[in-house]
Structures are given as structure tokens and as C-alpha cells.
Amino acid sequence: MARIGYVGLGVMGGGVARRLLEAGHEVTGYNRTRSKAEPLIADGMRFAESPREAAEQTDVIFSMVTNTQALTAITHGPDGILAGLGPGKVYVDMSTVSPGASRGLAERVAECGAVMLDAPVSGSVITLEQGKLSVIVGGDREAFDRVVPILRDIGPTVTYVGGNGQAVLMKIATNLSLAVQMLAFSEGVLLAEKGGISREDAVNVLTNSAIASPMVKYRGPFVLEMPEEAWFDCNMMQKDMVLALDLGRELDVPLPTTAASNEILTAARGMGLDHHDFAVMFDVLAYLSGLAATAR
Amino acid sequence: MARIGYVGLGVMGGGVARRLLEAGHEVTGYNRTRSKAEPLIADGMRFAESPREAAEQTDVIFSMVTNTQALTAITHGPDGILAGLGPGKVYVDMSTVSPGASRGLAERVAECGAVMLDAPVSGSVITLEQGKLSVIVGGDREAFDRVVPILRDIGPTVTYVGGNGQAVLMKIATNLSLAVQMLAFSEGVLLAEKGGISREDAVNVLTNSAIASPMVKYRGPFVLEMPEEAWFDCNMMQKDMVLALDLGRELDVPLPTTAASNEILTAARGMGLDHHDFAVMFDVLAYLSGLAATAR
Amino acid sequence: MARIGYVGLGVMGGGVARRLLEAGHEVTGYNRTRSKAEPLIADGMRFAESPREAAEQTDVIFSMVTNTQALTAITHGPDGILAGLGPGKVYVDMSTVSPGASRGLAERVAECGAVMLDAPVSGSVITLEQGKLSVIVGGDREAFDRVVPILRDIGPTVTYVGGNGQAVLMKIATNLSLAVQMLAFSEGVLLAEKGGISREDAVNVLTNSAIASPMVKYRGPFVLEMPEEAWFDCNMMQKDMVLALDLGRELDVPLPTTAASNEILTAARGMGLDHHDFAVMFDVLAYLSGLAATAR
Amino acid sequence: MARIGYVGLGVMGGGVARRLLEAGHEVTGYNRTRSKAEPLIADGMRFAESPREAAEQTDVIFSMVTNTQALTAITHGPDGILAGLGPGKVYVDMSTVSPGASRGLAERVAECGAVMLDAPVSGSVITLEQGKLSVIVGGDREAFDRVVPILRDIGPTVTYVGGNGQAVLMKIATNLSLAVQMLAFSEGVLLAEKGGISREDAVNVLTNSAIASPMVKYRGPFVLEMPEEAWFDCNMMQKDMVLALDLGRELDVPLPTTAASNEILTAARGMGLDHHDFAVMFDVLAYLSGLAATAR
């Protein structure tokens, strides 16, 4: 069993940390708001006073935060992860940031004598709890081979896709379909509903059809009743869409459905709905169709 | 076991007829091109000389053709299905046509003293062979109850969604996501590829992720190698998109991703690719990105 | 001066008829609702009891109605224009219908021994009053040469673009830009407004910039205050967009901005705004941005 | 007459500097590549050795460069404009950068004791030569009043739109329509052409119709023959579209036509056409329609 550091214990990050604890690893975790870490501490996690400490006292350090700015906050400065890294350590960042930002950080990690991997996860909290999370990994192959047993404790499917930044690229390339599929699903539900089929029946048929991806299956029913706490809110979703659109321009790939869906996320913000799960894209379209919003 | 008529023995229709034969029903089938019916005849299907004959000699008559025009051709005129219908018979049309066209035909069927149901299937030839086809049904509830055991011989999931035309509406509302999901998938693959990940790896990750609907799972790999025979070509796919867009205008539901995807299907036609499976939407985007097309 | 028949005396048609009267022609007009014709009758127009009579008693017959259905109503049947046509007569239809519908009607006209031209006008009521209307003409060249002096009395710019149906095609190809330009204009106004510039100032700058087409100049200010009576309402505008989109599919031309704009027109209908001038597309976007609608 | 500094003597910037010279002002200009300044030097412009010198020796300093990076290059550092500013001086930046970047620079200018205005121009080289350029101005009202006579020497229409950054905002809000109008125009031309009307005739009708903005009038004919040197290439155009899309997200304004058009600019880059005038968007669509590209 390994000595593992974990920085960023939000809903998803905390869930991953818990799986590592349950797998028998010695976990030293850090979170800006300590209270969120209490349940994990109760179950045996050591609490570090800073990201630096979490990195200093362990061999493999994980982090999962919401964006580049947050990533800089936990890695840089006197209390940052970088200050705690050194030869022999592997730093695994699971955040979804731009490939360029990830590569830049990997260079800083290399300067400390350590090795960085980018390893964003694909899937929801539920997928995680079911032990079905998929992990995509980019970076040094040797370091990957060293930590792959730990990654398998997080989720059974671990795929190596290339050098630093390639895993976040693959994650972004995946996530654009989340918003697009949700919007197309909403178009279908509203068409059916306006044509006289109940919203419930439409959701039921669609979530059992050839277009029912795992995401459609768990998020589709949100158009009947929105979860109290967003699984992935419009701002988070749009962050990923913008990463995709920026890459599309950088790499010269037109992204017609991504672009169209992103504007609906902007509309959700204009309508004051951005803190809801991005399934609320449905409500934007419902409004434009003269239909009632989701129960929320 | 029932005496069943079946008009329209194409790839999908023929597959459904075979399942009915295998379930032990007495099937009388008709197809414009008789040669396509030979394998079924060899396995015990009676061949009718006209749609009318198929309807006259059986109690429950099925049909599955590609569009409204073809549906009119097999139902109207002295040799059409309508001429062979009468009291006590149930006519089940599995074609994807507009709800309006379906309702119009149902009225003509009622004038003959028979009852019509619209029962389009959702899924591919593979889903059918696996016995996992999903059937959605609209029309008279009593008639539905009468034929539901036969429908279960076709696929295990049979859902009643309301009056005449409601099932084709639901089918159209489902199918719009096929093209949209395929296009979003293509955007993701191309983004990954241009960023340095092999097309194979990108397809592999995406078809095992949260966005992998059954359709994405079986059609996604087509961007590596296009099937020799289209499962569902661009013209067929666009027919369904246009049905959706027409309904969107009729029912006042804006369909942003459907509209955007439909234009890429038009581009596929402009580029001379329309007879390929609609997965060839990938090639339109690949060209615009300066990348090679799919092997085909 | 010529003996001219005129069928369809709506806002635009009535304006054209008035110009013909003012140019000294002998005009025999027909309108379904006679009351709308009263001002013209007061100014010397003869009123025909039917489209047929208007055609029988004149040499050159004009018509301008809103769609294919209305065109069929005034041309077919015992009281229709076709019944009043004969050798030597020229029938000029100024309606915007599909090229196919126009060509079909031209064939029927030819069977009567007469000749048909399609001659839709481009411009608004104001352009007409200013005598600046532009007329595009399709059909037989000889017939065109015969009526061109009369067309010049309607508007100074008369352009011959080819055989039957070509002029309506050109009109449709022009009109798609009306909705697209209006929507792009609205995007600009809202961006400026949300950034702190008053709506008035934004409209003022834009209507005096490089993007200020004649349409933007006269319709742009509508986003400050909507005209009481629509110049061209959402339903009319969408009719033309759908003609364009249908042609795009038929001729294999992808129309990305037309498709995107058309969905906003659908949304206008979903929001119950369709009877307003199509400048109300602004309001759809304003709502999505959390801003107030146009004064109306 | 005023002592004027001018930094950035490209096609547009050089043209503005020439007008200032011709109006009798004493102009001290700087350009990274001195050779481009030779014609102006021959006509009486003094050449400064650095942006700083141009600022030091004059009272009102203008600049016009292509993006934020270039603006930073000419303003910051020991040889930058900021180093040459001081109390009493007015700095007028005519570049199109983000409102935020413009406001940030204005703060730095204020720290130097000087005042900055943002004053992007709307129009092309031709508009400039015709003396019809429109100038939009943001920033301190008093400074505006001081320099407005000089601005009128550049173009007759000078509009004050508010505080710092508001003029570039208004410029961006205008420019998004350039690409959208060009794409909608292309859709119309291709529809007409595929329907049998010559490309020349289609361009002719459209550039004389209600949708013919000044931009459509001068750029429309580019689809017949592309200018050897781009007036405004795809990269420049896309820079402005991205500024608009970034603002749309920041200010919560959905921009459906901007987003759709931007993807076609990306496609132009993917097809290797980005260094052409952005009228080459036509060629992207022509390719997708199976038609020949513009002569170039």
C-alpha cells in the first residue's frame, strides 16, 4: 500500500480519496475548507496543513480542483504542492484544465525532480461509487506504470493516451458531447411533449433508446426534477466547452454542435440559471417553446 | 400463433419478418423485389403477389418502408394494403413517416373497418438480431393490447405512447439525437487527433466513456473504417432530421443542434458522400480540419 | 399605356397597383376583401369580381399573394386567373413561392396559350413609395422585353435572371440574409447594451456603420420600438427561410446561418411573438440575455 | 495644427497617418519595419526611433496595431509609449482589443499623468481614402473634446460612446456582423448558383438589394475574384469574433450567428485559406456544396 497525498476534497475529489482509503492506502489529504474533510478524517485520513505538507509527506500526490486558477493556487507559492515535491515523487493532477496549462505545470514539476501525470476522470459521482470510473492518463510512461495499480483502485478502466496534456485533451474532447447530447435530448423531449406525449413518457423512451449514453441515462431524468445540488453546473460545463472551443481554434477543428450548445449555456446564465446542473439547458429551450420549466 | 402479413422486406423489415417466423408465426410476406424475399421463403414464409394479398390472407399486417411516398405506394391503389383490409384486422405500420401522414393513413384504415397502429422500431440490425429491439406504439389501446404479444416477439421492450402518430413522433424525437451525437463525437475525435492522439485511441476512449450511447458504441468505430454497406445512409438520416425540423416549426420548438447537424448532412451530399452511412459526417468535418477521411 | 390586371391588393400589392395607376395605366384589380381596394377604386382602379375577370379584361396580369396556397386559390378553379388567360396575354406573378411551384404554374399558364413570368420584388413598402423598388424577373425573354416598360413603372431596377423560377430563387437567396442580418445586428446591440452602452447609442452606431444595409437601416430602430403593424412578420419571414432551407437540401448547399436564424424565428413563435415584425428576433435574444424586450 | 505621434503604420494605420499629414498636422511616426514608413517620410512625416520617442515629442499620440500582444509590445518596456507619456498628453489607441485590455492600459496611462481614449475605426481602406471613415470614441469626455477636431480630420463621423473600453466594445459589437453577413451572403450566392443563376448575376443582384450593406457592396464581389492582398484576413476576422464570443460569455449574451460563423473561419484555417481575405468563407461553403472556389 502506498503513501498518498490528496489535495482538493470536493464532491468528486473527496470521493476519489475515499476509494483510496478504502483500498487500504495511507492518505494524507488537504482541503481549503477543513470541514469538508471531516468525514474522511473520521475514516482514517490524515489532514495536512497545506498542499505542501501533503506533498512532502507522501510518495504519490493527487489533486483535483475546478480550474487553472485553483490549480495555480494549490501548486504555487511557499505552501504549494511544488514546494513539497522532490526526486522520486509522482504528482497526478486529475483536474480538467487546458492541455497547455497542464504541460506548463508538468515542466515546473520536472524542475523539482519529480514527475507529473495528467489523469482526469470521466464519469459522475455515481459512476465513482459504483467503482466504474474511467481514468485517462497522459505523461511519462514509466511513471504511469508505477502508479497504475493505484489508479485501478480508483476505477477499473485506466487508459494511457500519450505525453503530458494528452489526457486532459482527451477529457475535453469527451466532455463537449455532454452538453451537446443533453441539448439534443432536450430537443427530443420538447418535441414529443408539444406533440402530446407526457414529459415523463418521453424521458422514459429516450433513456431506453439507442441514444441513451450513460450520461443521458442519469441526467435525462433531471428534466423532470432538477437535483437540489448541481452535479455539474452550467459554469463548470461551460468552462469545459470553452476549453474545447479554444482548442478547436488553436488546432483548426470546426466544432459546430459544441459552438451551438455553448450559446445555450450562455443563455442559461443570462436567465439566471447557471448554478443549476447543466441539465437546465432544457429549461432554456422549454422557455423558447412556451413550455413549463423543470421542477426545481 | 397468429397469421401475419408483412410488406417491405428490406434489411430491417426482413429482419423483423424473420423474427416473427422464428417465433412460430405463419407469415405471408410481400416485397417489390421478390429476390430479396427468397431467404425468408426458404425458411417457410409464404410470398404474396401484392400488398393487398398479404393483407387479405392474414389478421395482423405489418409494413416497413422508407418514406411517405413508399408508404402510399404499398397502401393505396387496387393492389394496396387498404384494399385488403376489413373489420377485425389490425394494421401495424413500422415506417418512420410524419405523424400527420401516419394519422391520415390511420383514418383511411378506419374507413375500411380495420384499426391501424404506428409502431416504429428504435435500434439497428444488430440490436434486432440480439433480440433487444425496442418498439414504440401509437394508436387504439385495445388494438395495442391485442397485438402486444406479437410485438414482444420482435423486441422485448414495447412501449405504448398514445394515439395514432404519437409513436412516429417519439421515434423522430429520438432519431434527431443520432446525427447530433455522431457529429459531436466526430468533433471530439478530430480535436483529439489534431492534438496528437491517434484516431484509434480517441475512438476507443470515447466509446467507453459517459457519452457512449449504444449508437456511439456501434457507429463510432465507423470513423476508422466505413462499412461497405451503409446501415443508415445520409439521405435516410436527413429524412428523419427534416421530419424533426418540420415538426419543430409546426409545434414551435427550436432545435439548435438538429438544425446545425442537418446542414452537415447537406454538406455530405454536396461532397458526394450521401450514400455512405451517416457516420460519414465525420469526413465532412475532417476535410474542414485538413485531416484525412475515413477509410472507405 | 397598357390594360393591366392586378390580383392581391395587400399592403405591398396595393402599393404596386397604385404606382401602375399613377403611371397612367388602366388597372383592373381584384382582392378577396373588397374594402381594402376602396382607396384604389377611388383613384380610378376598376374592380373585378374575380381573378378570372381581372385576367379576361386585360393584357398583362399581375398577382402578389403570400404563399403557394394563396397562389393556387387565385389561379385555379372556375374563377381563377388561369380561366381568364389566353394567347397573347402575359401573367406576371410577384409572389415569393418555391421555384418549383412557380415553374409548375408557368406550365399551366403555357397550356392556356399565355406566358408567365416570376417577378418578385425586393424592398419594403418605403422603398416602393420612394420609387426605388428592385424587380427581379424570370421566364421567357421575349415576354420580359414586352413588359419591361411596365415593370420600370413599378421600380427603376429591373433585372432579368433567367428562365421560369429563377427570379423567385434569387429572391429567396436574398431574403435569407434579412433574418440573419437582423439576428447578428441584435447580437451586437445586446453585447453593447450589456457592456454599458445605451440601446439607442448602439443602434445609432450600427445603423451608420459598414454593416448598415438598407434593411438594417430601416429595421434596426425597430429594436427600440416595434412598429404597431408588422412590415414583415415572423411567420412571413420564416416562410422564406423554410423555402431557402428546402432549396438548400434540394440543391445540396449547407446554410449554417440560415438554419441558426430560423430556429430563433421558431422561438419567437414559441414565445407568442410571431405576429410582430421579425425584428422581434431581438426580443428572443434579449430574454435569453436577461434584458428587457423592445417597447411594443 | 497639432503635434501628433503615430505608432503602427500598417495598411490602415499608415492611411490614417497620411490623412493627418494631409490635414496639415506635424506627424512623428514609428513602425517596427521602417521601410513601410518610407512613403510617409517622403511626404513629410518625421520618423521616431521608438514608440517612446514618438510619444515624448508630441502632444497627441495615436496607435493602431493588430492585437493585445502587439499593443503591449509598443506600450510597455523602456522604449514603449508609456515611457514617453506625461501630464497634458492624450493617447488615442485605435486598435481593436478587448474592452478589459483597453481599460487596463488606460489605467496605466493615467498613472503616467496622461489620458487615454480608445478610438477604433469602422470601415475599410477604401472608406478611409474616400474620407468617410467613422470613428467611435471611449474615455474621458474632456480629453475627447480636446482631440475631436483631429479625429474629424481622420473621418467625418465621430461618435462618443462612453468611458474607457466602450468604443472597442462597440467596434466588436459591429464587427461580428461582418463575418455573419459575409457568410449569409455566400449562402445566398451558392443557392442561386446551384439553382442555375450565374455567380456574377447572383452577386450583382445581391449587392444591389436591401441586404447590401457597405461591406457587402465592397466585399461581395470578392467571391468572383479574391483580392491579391487580403483587406482583412481570416485570422484578423476571427480575432474579432473571438473577442465578441468572449464578451458574450462574460456578459451573458448568446451569440448564435457569431458562433456559427466563427466555426466557418476555423474551417478556413483548417483548409489552409486563412491568409486570404475573410470573404474566403465563401470557398469553405462552396467546397461543401461541390462547387468551384473563388478565382484567386
Side-chain angles (χ1 to χ4, degrees), chain B residues 242 249 252 255 263 269, chain C residues 242 249 252 255 262-263 269:
Chain B
V242 171
R249 282 194 289 271
D252 300 344
L255 305 172
E263 297 309 309
R269 220 171 36 232
Chain C
V242 170
R249 282 193 290 269
D252 300 345
L255 305 171
N262 185 46
E263 296 309 308
R269 219 170 37 232

Side-chain angles (χ1 to χ4, degrees), chain B residues 18 21 27 34-47:
Chain B
R18 175 166 301 284
L21 266 183
V27 180
R34 186 185 162 124
S35 60
K36 286 196 185 159
E38 293 299 348
L40 289 160
I41 295 171
D43 289 349
M45 185 188 78
R46 286 199 50 229
F47 190 77

